[in-house]
Amino acid sequence: MVEMAIILQGLVWSLMGWSIATAQVQDGPVTAPPPDSLVSQGETTGLDAVHAVVDAVGVSSAQALVSQIQIGNRMEEGLAASLAVVRESFQNNRGIIGANQNTGNLNNQANVQVIAHVAGGPTIRLGEATVEQRLVDNTIVTSGVAREDRIENSFGGTVGIVGINQSAGNLNNQANVVVLTLGKGSGFVALEDSSLGKVNSGNKLIQGSPGPKADVITGSFAGFRGLAQVSQSAGDLNQISNTMNVSFFSK
């Protein structure tokens, strides 16, 4: 069960933020999903999940790009309580799971997974994962705020790839990115590259009476097998990214 609860009193204005996620595969037929679903974007709270599978022989490439930008926002809040909870969920699942949960304001969240499968034969595989996050000239005025992100008794016995973002705070950029290359045959060569760019400039956090904040994971991921990426932010003006670029082959 996924729960979200929020009680807010305050004012938000001058909103500008976006999250863009793209995945590209080349030199092979895309088998799932169709090509027109490989790019998604949204303003302010872009919630993105991108998956691709390709079979190729020769030279091929797989790319994942996430760009999250927050510029010139101002937000005021007071007497607020914000709670994001994932409880007893995603047990004994198989495959790819992406979850974004946001009870705050002006948060960018993205889960991007690119899976490239090489059918066989001499192949050079190029894998690239890029994350850009920027927070510039934002202002938050806050007082008496209670916030909590909680993952409880979830993801037990799950096998696969999991990406989850939770934010009970404000103006946070969160991204989970996986580029996974599967090859077969002794002629398989993997060339991987990951890059990360973050800018945090000119932001102001004006805080009155502080309230409690907590990011909690309890009783979860028991017996999990695979790749798991978790981002939690009960605070403000945070930039968090988990990036994995993994290649392996079998003969």
Side-chain angles (χ1 to χ4, degrees), residues 167-191:
S167 179
N170 306 298
L171 278 162
N172 297 298
N173 288 328
Q174 298 171 290
N176 297 315
V177 180
V178 174
V179 176
L180 179 63
T181 302
L182 313 176
K184 186 175 181 180
S186 59
F188 174 75
V189 176
L191 302 176

Side-chain angles (χ1 to χ4, degrees), residues 12-53:
V12 182
W13 72 89
S14 299
L15 310 182
M16 181 178 295
W18 56 87
S19 176
I20 300 174
T22 67
Q24 298 178 348
V25 289
Q26 299 176 343
D27 297 334
V30 175
T31 59
D36 58 1
S37 67
L38 293 181
V39 178
S40 61
Q41 64 184 44
E43 294 184 357
T44 304
T45 55
L47 308 179
D48 309 306
V50 182
H51 315 289
V53 178

Side-chain angles (χ1 to χ4, degrees), residues 146-176:
R147 303 182 188 138
E148 182 175 344
D149 297 311
R150 177 176 289 269
I151 299 174
E152 187 176 274
N153 301 324
S154 298
F155 299 101
T158 288
V159 178
I161 299 175
V162 169
I164 180 168
N165 297 300
Q166 279 187 320
S167 179
N170 306 298
L171 278 162
N172 297 298
N173 288 328
Q174 298 171 290
N176 297 315

Side-chain angles (χ1 to χ4, degrees), residues 75-80 139-147 170 204-211 213 236:
M75 196 199 86
E76 296 185 10
E77 65 173 354
L79 301 177
T139 300
I140 296 178
V141 181
T142 180
S143 179
V145 180
R147 303 182 188 138
N170 306 298
K204 296 179 181 179
L205 177 60
I206 304 171
Q207 190 170 29
S209 176
K213 297 181 180 67
D236 302 312

Side-chain angles (χ1 to χ4, degrees), residues 191-202:
L191 302 176
E192 311 297 348
D193 182 43
S194 297
S195 60
L196 176 63
K198 294 188 178 184
V199 176
N200 199 321
S201 174

Side-chain angles (χ1 to χ4, degrees), residues 214-228:
D215 293 312
V216 179
I217 301 176
T218 180
S220 299
F221 295 96
F224 174 84
R225 290 180 293 163
L227 302 175

Side-chain angles (χ1 to χ4, degrees), residues 56-109:
V57 176
V59 178
S60 54
S61 65
Q63 295 179 318
L65 167 64
V66 176
S67 180
Q68 297 177 317
I69 301 172
Q70 301 272 22
I71 300 176
N73 300 287
R74 179 180 174 89
M75 196 199 86
E76 296 185 10
E77 65 173 354
L79 301 177
S82 183
L83 171 67
V85 180
V86 175
R87 178 181 292 121
E88 297 179 358
S89 302
F90 304 108
Q91 302 278 14
N92 299 309
N93 279 266
R94 300 291 185 272
I96 299 174
I97 299 171
N100 294 304
Q101 194 178 44
N102 165 31
T103 58
N105 299 282
L106 294 169
N107 294 299
N108 285 330
Q109 298 173 311

